[in-house]
């Protein structure tokens, strides 16, 4: 199907392309697999950072980190405040 100059002989990246400057590029037959794995990893890290920041901000507003500074909010009020600020941030983008 493909001319011999397009094949590299490598099992993982069997497709080969040489551009006008002589640079050789190797390609996979299933590039979507790598793309899907990358997208899922980015989403996982994004969720991890979002919930980490949400939890940390809730603790900060309730005054857990510093006894001298306290906003006077309960944990439920602090979670509501953080949720409202997150909603405002998403709606103003």
């Amino acid at each position: 199907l493909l001319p011999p100059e397009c094949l590299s002989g490598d099992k993982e990246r069997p497709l080969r392309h040489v551009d006008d400057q002589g640079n050789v590029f190797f390609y996979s037959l299933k590039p979507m697999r790598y793309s899907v794995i990358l997208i899922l990893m980015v989403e996982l890290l994004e969720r991890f950072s979002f919930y980490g920041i949400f939890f940390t901000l809730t603790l900060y507003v309730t005054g857990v980190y510093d006894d001298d500074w306290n906003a006077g909010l309960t944990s439920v009020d602090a979670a509501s405040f953080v949720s409202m600020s997150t909603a405002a941030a998403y709606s103003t983008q």
Side-chain angles (χ1 to χ4, degrees):
L1 279 171
L2 292 173
E5 62 267 7
C6 294
L7 300 174
S8 68
D10 185 13
K11 285 187 175 185
E12 291 199 19
R13 295 176 182 252
L15 302 179
R16 183 174 76 105
H17 172 70
V18 180
D19 65 2
D20 295 334
Q21 286 83 25
N23 298 321
V24 180
F25 299 98
F26 298 98
Y27 297 99
S28 173
L29 285 177
K30 298 179 182 179
M32 290 298 292
R33 177 181 298 163
Y34 300 115
S35 301
V36 167
I37 290 172
L38 178 67
I39 290 169
L40 290 176
M41 289 301 296
V42 168
E43 288 294 324
L44 174 73
L45 294 174
E46 181 183 357
R47 299 281 176 160
F48 180 74
S49 65
F50 173 77
Y51 288 114
I53 290 172
F54 185 88
F55 180 70
T56 303
L57 186 57
T58 304
L59 290 178
Y60 179 75
V61 172
T62 57
V64 171
Y65 294 126
D66 187 8
D67 291 333
D68 296 333
W69 186 89
N70 191 348
L73 296 176
T74 64
S75 59
V76 173
D77 292 337
S80 297
F81 174 75
V82 172
S83 295
M84 287 186 293
S85 64
T86 302
Y90 277 121
S91 65
T92 58
Q93 287 184 353

